[in-house]
C-alpha cells in the first residue's frame, strides 16, 4: 500500500466515487479510495444491477420458472460483477482501496475507522465526497424487523414472498411490484399520492395504472400503513380515511424515498455546508463551500441516478486535471428511465415545469400513440406513447416522455435533440428504418411541421404576441419565470428517483 502524497481522497466506492478514483488513477494521479461496505456501492450491490437482472430474468421466463432459482441467478450475477469490480480496483496502479468508515477531521484531512481495527489519518489537496444515500424508513406498528424489506435486503431473499406489500409507487416501488408479480408473488402497492408514479406526467400514471391492474397488482391510493398483526400476517391500511386490511402479507417493501448519507461524516469539522434532507451544497462543477472539496452523486441534490453520478464524476476528474477547461453545460441534462412494464423515460422539462417558464401559447405539445405506428400494430401494443413539448415556430424541443417497450433506449434520441438544439424542422428530414417504434419520432416531427408551416403567418403573430406577454410578465416579476437555456435544464433536481 502507498502511503500519503495523495492527489485526491475519494470517500465512497459507488458509481460516483469509482468514476473519479479510476479516472484520476488512470491518468497517473495518486488516489485513496475509502469504502465502508462493498465496492460498487448501491448500483452494483443493491440497486440497478440486481433489480435489472431480476426484471430481465422474469421477462425471459415469461411468468414461468422457479422463483428461488431466479433469485439465486440475480445474486450470482450481482456477486460476479462485484467481484470483478473489486479486483479491478484492488489491482489498479496509483490507487489505494482503504476499507473503513471515513469522517472529516479538517478541510484537508480525514480519519478512517479501519475494518481491520484502529484508525488511519490521511490528507490530500482534493477530497471528493461520494457517500450516496440509503432508504428512507417509516415505522409500521407491530411489523417485525424480519418482515421489513428495503432495496438493501430485497435481493437477499431466497424465495418469492407469498404476498408482498410495496409501500411507495415511485420507480423502485413499481419496478419491484411488476417484477415480483411476474415471479409469482401476490403484490399490493400502497401509495400516499392521488396517482401512481406521482413524479411523472398524468398520462404516464394512467398507462402504468392500467398495466398494474392488467397484471393483477392491487393498488391503494391516498393510503398509508397503520399497523401489522404478526400472528395473522395482516397489514392494516388507512385508505382515504377508511380502514382496509390486507391478508397473508409475509413481506413489506419500503420504497418511499432516499436519505442522503451526510450524517456520519463530521462535515462541520471541514466547514462543508449541507442540508440534512437536500444533501451537500454544490455549484455547477460540484465544488462544495470549501475549496478543494467536491461532492457528487446521491449525496448531493443534483443526482439520483447512476448516469448522473457518473457524469458528475467525469466533470470532477476534468476539474482536478484541467481546471482551466470550461465545464460543458449539456452534461447536466439527465434523462431518466424506470424499468416498469411498460418502461417510462423522460428528458428535459416536464409539462408542469414548462408551464412555470413559458406562456402556454408559446409551446406545442405533440403526441403519438405507439399503437398507431406500424410497429406498434405488428407487435400488438395496447398502450404507450411518445409525447414531446417544443417551442412554437422555432421547433426547439423542451422535453420528451416515452412510455413503451425500450423507452429507456429511445429517450436518447430526444436527449441529443435537446442538448444539441436540434429543432423539429431538422428532425423532420430524418429517415428511420421501417417498421420501428422510433418511427414514432418521425410522426412527432410530421405533426409539428404539418401544424406550423401552412399557418406560418398566424404562428408568427401568435409567437410575437405571447413573447411580448412573457416579457411583460417577467418585467413584473410574475410567472412564467426566466426562460432558461438547455444547459440549465433542472429536471434531475425536480424529479425524484424514489419510492
Ligand atoms: C433498487 C434501486 C434501483 C436503481 N436502479 C437504477 C437504475 O436502473 N438506473 C440508474 O441510473 N440508477 C438506479 N438507481 C440509483 C443508483 O443506484 C444511485 O443513483 C447510484 O448508485 C448513486 O451512486 P453514488 O456513488 O452516489 O452512491 P452509492 O452507490 O450509494 O455509493 C456510496 C458508497 O459510499 C460508501 N460510504 C458511505 N459513507 C461512507 C463513509 N463514511 N466512509 C466510507 N464509505 C462510505 C457506501 O458504502 C457506498 O458504497 C437505483 C437505486 C436503487 C436503490
Amino acid at each position: 500500500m502507498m502511503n500519503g502524497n495523495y492527489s485526491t481522497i475519494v470517500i465512497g466506492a459507488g458509481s460516483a466515487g469509482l468514476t473519479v478514483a479510476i479516472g484520476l488513477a488512470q491518468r497517473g494521479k495518486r488516489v485513496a479510495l475509502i469504502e465502508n461496505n462493498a465496492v460498487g456501492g448501491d448500483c452494483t450491490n443493491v440497486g440497478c444491477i440486481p433489480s435489472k437482472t431480476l426484471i430481465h430474468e422474469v421477462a425471459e421466463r415469461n411468468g414461468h420458472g422457479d422463483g428461488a432459482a431466479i433469485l439465486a441467478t440475480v445474486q450470482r450475477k450481482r456477486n460476479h460483477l462485484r467481484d470483478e469490480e473489486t479486483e479491478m480496483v484492488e489491482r489498479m496502479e496509483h490507487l489505494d482501496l482503504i476499507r473503513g468508515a471515513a469522517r472529516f477531521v479538517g478541510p484537508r484531512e480525514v480519519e478512517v475507522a479501519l475494518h481491520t481495527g484502529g484508525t488511519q489519518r490521511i490528507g490530500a489537496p482534493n477530497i471528493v465526497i461520494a457517500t450516496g444515500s440509503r432508504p428512507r424508513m417509516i415505522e409500521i406498528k407491530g411489523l417485525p424487523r424480519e418482515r421489513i424489506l428495503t432495496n438493501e435486503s430485497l435481493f437477499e431473499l431466497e424465495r418469492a414472498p407469498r404476498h408482498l406489500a410495496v409501500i411507495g409507487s415511485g420507480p423502485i416501488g413499481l419496478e419491484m411490484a411488476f417484477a415480483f408479480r411476474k415471479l409469482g408473488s401476490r403484490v399490493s402497492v400502497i401509495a400516499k399520492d392521488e396517482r401512481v408514479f406521482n413524479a411523472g406526467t398524468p398520462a404516464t400514471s394512467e398507462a402504468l395504472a392500467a398495466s398494474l391492474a392488467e397484471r393483477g397488482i392491487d393498488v391503494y391510493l391516498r393510503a398509508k400503513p397503520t399497523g401489522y398483526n404478526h400472528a395473522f400476517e395482516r397489514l392494516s391500511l388507512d385508505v382515504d380515511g377508511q380502514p382496509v386490511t390486507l391478508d397473508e402479507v409475509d413481506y413489506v417493501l419500503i420504497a418511499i424515498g432516499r436519505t442522503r448519507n451526510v450524517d456520519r461524516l463530521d462535515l462541520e469539522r471541514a466547514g462543508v455546508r449541507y442540508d440534512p434532507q437536500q444533501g451537500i451544497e454544490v455549484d455547477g462543477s460540484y465544488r462544495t463551500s470549501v475549496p478543494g472539496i467536491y461532492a457528487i452523486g446521491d449525496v448531493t441534490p443534483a443526482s439520483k441516478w447512476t448516469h448522473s453520478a457518473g457524469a458528475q464524476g467525469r466533470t470532477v476528474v476534468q476539474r482536478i486535471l484541467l481546471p482551466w477547461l470550461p465545464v460543458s453545460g449539456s452534461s447536466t441534462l439527465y434523462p431518466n428511465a424506470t424499468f416498469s412494464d411498460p418502461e417510462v423515460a423522460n428528458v428535459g422539462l416536464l409539462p408542469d415545469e414548462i408551464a412555470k417558464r413559458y406562456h402556454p401559447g408559446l409551446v406545442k405539445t405533440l403526441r403519438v400513440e405507439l399503437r398507431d405506428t406500424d410497429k406498434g400494430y405488428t407487435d400488438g401494443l395496447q398502450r404507450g406513447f411518445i409525447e414531446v413539448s417544443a417551442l412554437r415556430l422555432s421547433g426547439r424541443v423542451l422535453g420528451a416522455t416515452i412510455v413503451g417497450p425500450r423507452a429507456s433506449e429511445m429517450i436518447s434520441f430526444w436527449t441529443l435533440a435537446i442538448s444539441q438544439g436540434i429543432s423539429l424542422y431538422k428532425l423532420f428530414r430524418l429517415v428511420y428504418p421501417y417498421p420501428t417504434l422510433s418511427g414514432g419520432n418521425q410522426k412527432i416531427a410530421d405533426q409539428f411541421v404539418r401544424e406550423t408551416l401552412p399557418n406560418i403567418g398566424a404562428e408568427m403573430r401568435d409567437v410575437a404576441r405571447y413573447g411580448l406577454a412573457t416579457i411583460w410578465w417577467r418585467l413584473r416579476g410574475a410567472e412564467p419565470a426566466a426562460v432558461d437555456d438547455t444547459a440549465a435544464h433542472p429536471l434531475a433536481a425536480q424529479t425524484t428517483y424514489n419510492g
Side-chain angles (χ1 to χ4, degrees), residues 113-127:
L114 297 167
H115 286 180
T116 50
T119 58
Q120 181 182 357
R121 281 193 179 203
I122 47 174
N126 302 301
I127 300 182

Side-chain angles (χ1 to χ4, degrees), residues 12 15-16 35-36 41-42 52 102 130 132 151 297-298 304-307 497:
S15 315
E35 174 53 57
N36 193 27
D42 273 16
K52 266 81 256 182
N151 68 294
D298 276 15
K304 289 175 182 78
W305 303 286
T306 290
H307 47 276
Y497 197 96

Side-chain angles (χ1 to χ4, degrees), residues 106-108 127 267 270-273 281 287-294:
R108 295 279 171 271
I127 300 182
L267 291 168
V272 173
R273 271 206 301 271
E281 278 179 33
R287 290 177 293 205
T288 68
S289 53
V290 178
I293 303 185
Y294 300 83

Side-chain angles (χ1 to χ4, degrees), residues 11-17 34-38 40-43 46-48 51-52 100-103 130-133 151 155 172 175 258 261 264-265 296-299 304-307 309 337 339 497:
I11 310 175
S15 315
I34 306 166
E35 174 53 57
N36 193 27
N37 202 334
D42 273 16
C43 186
V46 292
C48 335
S51 63
K52 266 81 256 182
R103 62 182 189 88
T131 48
S133 61
N151 68 294
F155 304 107
I172 295 173
E175 284 181 0
R258 313 284 301 168
N261 289 331
R264 292 161 207 160
L265 288 167
I296 50 174
D298 276 15
V299 75
K304 289 175 182 78
W305 303 286
T306 290
H307 47 276
F339 297 79
Y497 197 96

